[in-house]
Amino acid sequence: MSYPRCRHCGAEMPMTLVDLGLSAVANSYVPMGKAGEPEPKYPLHVRVCESCWLVQVDEDVPPASIFNESYAYFSSFSDSWLAHARAYADAMADRLHLGRESLVIEIASNDGYLLKNFAAKGIPVLGIEPSGSVAAAAEKIGVPTLVEFFGERVARRLHDEGRRPDLICSANVLAHVPDINDFVAGVAALLTGDAVYTVEFPHLLRLIEEVQFDTIYHEHYSYLSLLAVERIFATKGLRVFDVEELPTHGGSLRVFACRTGASHGDGPGLSKVRADEKTARLDRPEGYAGFSEKVEAVRDGLLSFLNNARAQGKHVAAYGAAAKGNTLLNYCGIGPTLIDFCVDRNPAKQNTLLPGSRIPVFDVEELRKRQPDFVLILPWNLKAEVIRQLGDLRAGGTRFVTAVPSIMVTA
């Protein structure tokens, strides 16, 4: 029997982390007028490469089917994420002594949510973003943006044009590229001297330990550990010299990398995360065993809660038309019979149907009109922020629910 091959090293991958079945593309929201039309669904099966330990989906959805003019994820609709971006810009400007002669390039710059903070300091910026919808929003706020998929070809063109970034950054994008080798080669081609590349990604260790399977969707081609990232970077002449652990997205890493010969010394976070991953046995098959059973327990717990609520005549709505929520709903087979509706602050998602589950999405005010008994917070990483926003509903008796890593009801 033949198995899919690793997107980095080419080794066969017989080991399964979890198989979530067929699922719609997580950010492909369905217009209300197309409610009766079928939508494509693709396998969502995650495997582990036992050669380089890169965890990955085993069947790719073409990137152009995800990141296009109708792409609906805009970074600027999360207050906590905007604060995170401001803090990052302040820290990097100070740490790297960035100024008017510097250049900051962000890969997958979305709607300019991050680069605008550097621009406000007078630091020149350039965004690279494949989705025209969000790139146009960035241009409107003064963030110059190239509408392209980043890779070695684009990087060499920019290098030939004389672009010499002091900082290249990308947040939650390394997992989004099907050809991770080409992407990392592009970063290496753009870095010169002591220039720095920082990349943030949800930490595979947290995904496994906290059963964060809903962060798995077609848009995420890879699920990253420091172990795998260091190996991939090294093949392209890059060296990781520091790591920061972040609370974002349920537990992320911010990795600092440079050219192999750059002068940066190792920071304290590097050895700490290496040791954590070794303790968790991410360099051995045992570190990945038993995850599927934990995922099934989350599914069973959520379905039990929703069926009990329905039996008692209670109404449940969902908050946040997040990609992770769509994975959860599709895997659990949940639709409008169990969750009445969903709300989201992003106008691009409002008055649509969630992919797969076909639950209708409205403006947040719909919650205040209908006063549901429970609100299931799909982006559980924003739980505190959401409950603060909806304090009036809480005062009126609405209770808030999260499903990962197990059912939790907040009065």
Side-chain angles (χ1 to χ4, degrees), residues 13 212 225 363:
M13 300 184 297
Q212 297 171 355
S225 62
D363 179 81

Side-chain angles (χ1 to χ4, degrees), residues 270-299:
L270 185 58
S271 59
K272 194 267 184 189
V273 176
R274 282 175 178 164
D276 287 347
E277 291 190 351
K278 190 167 186 64
T279 298
R281 298 181 292 181
L282 293 190
D283 57 348
R284 287 181 281 171
E286 305 93 274
Y288 305 89
F291 186 69
S292 291
E293 290 77 9
K294 294 176 182 177
V295 170
E296 291 167 5
V298 172
R299 177 195 62 196

Side-chain angles (χ1 to χ4, degrees), residues 39-54:
E39 60 188 312
K41 294 185 177 181
Y42 303 89
L44 194 51
H45 187 161
V46 180
R47 294 183 182 268
V48 182
C49 176
E50 295 172 75
S51 177
C52 69
W53 301 108
L54 180 64

Side-chain angles (χ1 to χ4, degrees), residues 185-196:
V187 172
L190 261 182
L191 285 182
T192 56
D194 276 347
V196 171

Side-chain angles (χ1 to χ4, degrees), residues 26 30 95 130 153-154 168 177 304 326 340 369 372 386:
V30 180
R95 178 170 178 166
R153 179 188 60 80
V154 170
I168 303 173
V177 291
S304 176
N326 291 328
D340 297 350
K369 292 178 186 175
V386 172

Side-chain angles (χ1 to χ4, degrees), residues 190-212:
L190 261 182
L191 285 182
T192 56
D194 276 347
V196 171
Y197 173 52
T198 71
V199 55
E200 297 178 24
F201 50 83
H203 193 189
L204 176 65
L205 180 59
R206 298 279 84 78
L207 185 155
I208 292 173
E209 289 186 343
E210 299 176 24
V211 205
Q212 297 171 355

